């Protein structure tokens, strides 16, 4: 499948997409609790690379949970913003994982995470130039072609900007979506964090994104710091509840887009399953308060 | 020609605090971007230290948090991950500890880390079905076929022979016991394996470790038993086989 063929197609394999409900990240400490209590939740999301292991409890529980729930696979190490094309061995492992679990969605980040064989385990920002646009677009198309499916691209949370950038972030993302045919994973927390950090208006930022292409929403918590001049600097640490300002932006977004699959991301200081599900319930209540879509296309 | 993202410059600077902040960064308010870049430095270093801390909890408790994090920081900077598969990160951490002068006072730290590394590998090892016990029993009674048979052991099975009581340290930690109460200057031989979904650390004899190692290197049953007895005259073959059967570690037999 070429990128052109996938344009306009629903995210994921033919005929599948995540339900427009709230989901949570799947954490090993919650495996048995989920299997025993079978919570009413829209979907689970995993970090792809954690499941590149050969066997054992991770695959045992994911296999069981996948029987009962829709699944989103979220990559954190493909380094689409890197200088080099996506690593073929990584892509192969990814395809094996997607073949095995047939997820409803696959997503990755507009970021890079290493260079020259070193992996630094963070999502790093890139210069937004025409050359970068061409390169990232090629990387996305390579991924989509190899996996035989459309992917979602997540907007970043960043702490610096580059003097050399020619594009604003929303134009850069919009152009990537248009050229590659990928969808957008709109991380509302990242929008808020980046807009505070770079003194932008979050509502204008969101409105400038290709909202028709959003296939999934992420919500998460941040921590607070200050920059060298004392201005607020928010850190996207996924270590707490979703902030009130982010809930507000999310509610406003939904008014415009209608119901969308929404993930609560909580990756550090992970709370008990009940707390995580309660946070997801908040998103679910917002989703359910919207009119039912007339056409689930 | 516009400058591209400084991938190499960033990667070096993220891991080495003595390197300058990469050029070409800006902040909306004109504030020093070094402070903002430090967020990335901190994310990288701390997330990798946390990855090691969660993979080596017993080693951390023995060393104390301050020493452990100091060692982990040095390791992260000297040997950052080569792959995004963080479950594999830290394979060289035990050897690093063995050569790290501040850890010299606790020479058992490296073997404790080796045991924890084996636990992680056992946890994620390939799944394999055990051979039916009746089939193994029949082979064990077949004195003609047994000596030349080759046994495949479960991929999760690892062995560790240490001059230190690392299995006791591990067990004491699991039961939230007092690690200072363990007589650490005592050699222990250990099997690390996954039985069902649980990782188990079993105290064994030296001969058991040699036996399992030999089988995993594709020695015949007779060769493996002989090697075990040479290394450990008190090696008890029936006791060793009983543990292999109980833990369902025999996954294939070739006659």
């Amino acid at each position: 499948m070429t990128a052109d063929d996938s344009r306009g197609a629903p995210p994921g394999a033919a005929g599948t997409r995540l339900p427009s409900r709230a989901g949570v990240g799947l954490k090993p400490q919650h495996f048995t609790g989920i299997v025993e209590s079978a919570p009413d939740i829209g979907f689970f999301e995993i970090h792809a690379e954690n499941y590149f292991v050969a066997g054992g409890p991770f695959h045992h529980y994911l296999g069981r949970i996948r029987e009962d729930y829709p699944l989103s696979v979220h990559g954190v190490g493909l380094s689409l913003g890197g200088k080099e094309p996506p690593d073929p061995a990584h892509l192969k492992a990814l395809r094996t994982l997607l073949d095995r679990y047939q997820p409803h969605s696959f997503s990755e980040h507009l970021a890079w995470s290493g260079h020259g064989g070193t992996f630094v385990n963070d999502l790093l920002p890139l210069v937004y130039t025409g050359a970068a646009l061409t390169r990232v677009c090629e990387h996305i198309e390579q991924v989509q072609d190899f996996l035989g499916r459309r992917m979602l691209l997540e907007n970043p949370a960043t702490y610096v900007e580059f003097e050399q950038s020619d594009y604003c972030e929303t134009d850069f993302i919009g152009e990537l979506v248009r050229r590659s045919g990928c969808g957008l994973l709109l991380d509302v927390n990242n929008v808020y964090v980046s807009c505070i950090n770079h003194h932008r208006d979050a509502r204008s930022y969101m409105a400038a994104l290709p909202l028709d292409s959003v296939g999934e929403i992420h919500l998460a918590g941040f921590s607070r710091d200050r920059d060298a001049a004392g201005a607020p600097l928010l850190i996207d640490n996924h270590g707490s509840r979703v902030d009130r300002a982010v809930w507000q932006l999310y509610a406003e977004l939904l008014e415009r887009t209608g119901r969308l699959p929404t993930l609560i991301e909580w990756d550090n200081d992970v709370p008990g399953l009940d707390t995580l599900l309660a946070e997801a319930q908040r998103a679910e209540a917002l989703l359910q308060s919207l009119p039912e879509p007339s056409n689930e296309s | 020609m516009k400058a591209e993202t400084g991938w190499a410059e960033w990667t070096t600077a993220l891991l080495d605090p003595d390197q300058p902040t990469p050029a070409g960064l800006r902040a909306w308010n004109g504030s020093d971007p070094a402070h903002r870049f430090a967020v990335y430095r901190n994310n990288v270093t701390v997330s990798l230290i946390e990855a090691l801390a969660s993979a080596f909890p017993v080693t951390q408790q023995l060393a104390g948090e301050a020493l452990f994090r100091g060692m982990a920081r040095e390791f992260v900077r000297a040997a950052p991950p080569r792959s995004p598969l963080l479950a594999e990160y830290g394979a060289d951490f035990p050897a690093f500890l063995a050569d790290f002068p501040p850890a010299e006072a606790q020479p058992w730290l490296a073997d404790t880390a080796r045991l924890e590394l084996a636990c992680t590998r056992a946890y994620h090892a390939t799944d394999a079905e055990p051979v039916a016990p009746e089939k193994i029993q029949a082979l064990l009674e077949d004195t003609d076929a047994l000596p030349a048979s080759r046994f495949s052991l479960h991929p999760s099975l690892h062995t560790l022979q240490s001059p230190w009581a690392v299995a006791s340290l591990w067990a004491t930690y699991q039961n939230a016991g007092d690690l200072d109460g363990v007589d650490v200057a005592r050699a222990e031989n250990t099997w690390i394996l996954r039985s069902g979904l649980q990782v188990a650390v079993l105290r064994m004899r030296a001969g058991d470790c040699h036996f399992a190692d030999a089988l995993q290197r594709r020695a015949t049953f007779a060769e493996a038993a002989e090697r075990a007895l040479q290394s450990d005259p008190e090696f008890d073959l029936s006791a060793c086989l009983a543990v292999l059967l109980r833990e369902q570690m025999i996954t294939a037999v070739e006659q």
Side-chain angles (χ1 to χ4, degrees):
Chain A
M1 179 171 85
T2 69
D4 278 339
D5 291 337
S6 68
R7 199 163 295 171
T16 67
R17 54 178 292 169
L18 288 173
S20 292
R21 293 192 56 196
V24 296
L26 179 60
K27 299 294 169 194
Q29 56 268 52
H30 299 152
F31 282 158
T32 53
I34 291 163
V35 168
E36 284 163 14
S37 68
D40 178 25
I41 186 90
F43 64 97
F44 285 99
E45 183 163 289
I46 59 164
H47 285 176
E49 290 77 8
N50 290 346
Y51 290 81
F52 284 4
V53 295
F58 274 38
H59 287 292
H60 170 85
Y61 284 107
L62 180 57
R64 286 187 65 173
I65 289 164
R66 177 69 187 90
E67 287 173 15
D68 297 325
Y69 296 93
L71 179 69
S72 165
V73 172
H74 188 52
V76 295
L78 209 43
S79 207
L80 293 171
K83 185 179 187 185
E84 307 298 330
D87 173 35
H90 193 110
L91 280 177
K92 213 171 153 194
L94 202 46
R95 187 162 70 182
T96 302
L97 185 74
L98 300 184
D99 284 349
R100 180 166 179 181
Y101 292 105
Q102 300 287 317
H104 297 65
S105 174
F106 169 68
S107 50
E108 252 286 357
H109 298 84
L110 176 56
W112 61 283
S113 42
H115 184 69
T118 296
F119 174 75
V120 294
N121 197 38
D122 197 14
L123 298 164
L124 302 166
L126 51 146
V127 181
Y128 295 142
T129 59
L133 189 55
T134 304
R135 187 182 337 87
V136 178
C137 205
E138 280 169 8
H139 295 173
I140 293 171
E141 285 168 359
Q142 284 159 2
V143 171
Q144 295 188 139
D145 287 350
F146 189 83
L147 300 179
R149 62 189 296 154
R150 186 191 189 205
M151 61 161 280
L152 305 179
L153 182 72
E154 179 176 333
N155 58 295
T158 59
Y159 311 110
V160 297
E161 293 178 296
F162 294 93
E163 288 167 358
Q164 296 289 327
S165 284
D166 296 324
Y167 288 75
C168 70
E169 192 162 276
T170 49
D171 285 353
F172 193 84
I173 292 171
E175 200 55 21
L176 281 175
V177 166
R178 192 183 68 76
R179 290 193 198 176
S180 73
C182 74
L184 183 60
L185 193 174
L186 179 49
D187 188 315
V188 180
N189 187 58
N190 287 357
V191 169
Y192 185 71
V193 163
S194 286
C195 287
I196 293 289
N197 291 349
H198 306 308
H199 205 59
R200 300 174 194 140
D201 178 63
R203 286 167 182 82
S204 315
Y205 177 99
M206 240 167 19
L209 287 171
L211 295 180
D212 291 346
S213 300
V214 176
E216 186 186 346
I217 304 274
H218 273 183
L219 301 174
F222 56 76
S223 62
R224 292 171 195 275
D225 196 356
R226 296 208 167 262
D227 77 1
L233 188 67
L234 303 185
I235 314 294
D236 174 41
N237 71 347
H238 297 186
S240 59
R241 289 180 187 278
V242 178
D243 191 81
R244 196 168 54 175
V246 174
W247 280 120
Q248 180 60 36
L249 278 176
Y250 172 62
E252 291 174 26
L253 173 74
L254 290 183
E255 289 291 333
R256 180 162 172 176
T257 61
R259 298 181 188 186
L260 284 166
T262 303
L263 181 85
I264 301 294
E265 275 190 305
W266 202 325
D267 300 319
N268 294 299
D269 296 325
V270 177
L273 183 59
D274 289 350
T275 304
L276 195 56
L277 293 172
E279 196 75 343
Q281 185 49 44
R282 227 182 131 172
E284 186 73 41
L286 267 168
L287 291 167
Q288 298 301 328
S289 71
L290 297 168
E292 203 148 344
S294 52
N295 182 7
E296 270 273 351
S297 64
Chain B
M1 184 73 188
K2 300 287 287 189
E4 290 262 29
T5 303
W7 297 279
E9 190 188 7
W10 268 65
T11 302
T12 307
L14 285 168
L15 291 162
D16 183 352
D18 295 332
Q19 293 292 319
T21 297
L25 308 185
R26 74 171 182 212
W28 66 274
N29 56 1
S31 66
D32 183 0
H35 186 95
R36 289 166 172 255
F37 183 73
V39 174
Y40 292 106
R41 267 191 176 136
N42 187 61
N43 283 352
V44 168
T45 312
V46 172
S47 74
L48 292 172
I49 292 172
E50 292 297 337
L52 292 171
S54 75
F56 299 98
V58 189
T59 309
Q60 172 166 243
Q61 177 142 343
L62 280 170
E65 194 176 333
L67 175 60
F68 182 88
R69 293 186 79 90
M71 295 189 295
R73 177 171 281 109
E74 294 288 319
F75 177 74
V76 163
R77 287 174 177 161
R82 303 293 295 170
S83 135
L85 281 61
L86 283 190
E88 292 175 4
Y89 187 51
D92 301 325
F93 190 54
F96 178 86
L97 295 183
D99 286 333
F100 194 67
E104 270 171 8
Q106 297 186 73
W108 47 85
L109 285 181
D111 274 355
T112 305
R114 283 189 184 98
L115 187 147
E116 294 194 280
L117 182 66
C119 287
T120 301
R121 288 178 167 169
Y123 184 81
H124 292 304
T126 307
D127 301 311
E129 288 299 314
V131 175
E134 312 80 65
K135 192 175 167 194
I136 299 167
Q137 211 57 54
L139 177 60
L140 293 177
E141 286 161 19
D142 184 345
T143 47
D144 291 334
L146 183 61
S149 300
R150 291 177 205 274
F151 285 42
S152 298
L153 301 184
H154 195 277
S156 72
L157 179 59
H158 291 71
T159 67
L160 181 66
Q161 294 182 261
S162 174
W164 310 107
V166 290
S168 296
L169 286 170
W170 188 88
T172 305
Y173 178 88
Q174 305 309 312
N175 298 318
D178 176 13
L179 295 182
D180 292 338
V182 176
D183 174 17
V184 74
R186 198 181 63 226
E188 285 186 348
N189 304 291
T190 309
W191 278 6
I192 301 100
L193 53 88
R194 188 180 77 234
S195 189
L197 295 172
Q198 298 280 340
V199 170
V201 170
L202 307 178
R203 283 190 51 197
M204 306 294 285
R205 300 193 52 86
D208 300 317
C209 291
H210 286 282
F211 185 66
D213 289 345
L215 290 180
Q216 284 176 325
R217 287 195 301 265
R218 304 302 293 155
T220 64
F221 187 89
E223 288 163 352
E226 193 186 330
R227 201 157 310 159
L229 265 173
Q230 277 170 358
S231 68
D232 177 4
E234 290 174 58
F235 171 62
D236 182 341
L237 179 59
S238 333
C240 183
L241 288 168
V243 177
L244 285 174
L245 279 164
R246 183 189 77 211
E247 303 294 342
Q248 303 191 305
M249 285 294 111
I250 301 169
T251 55
V253 285
E254 284 170 43
Q255 295 173 41

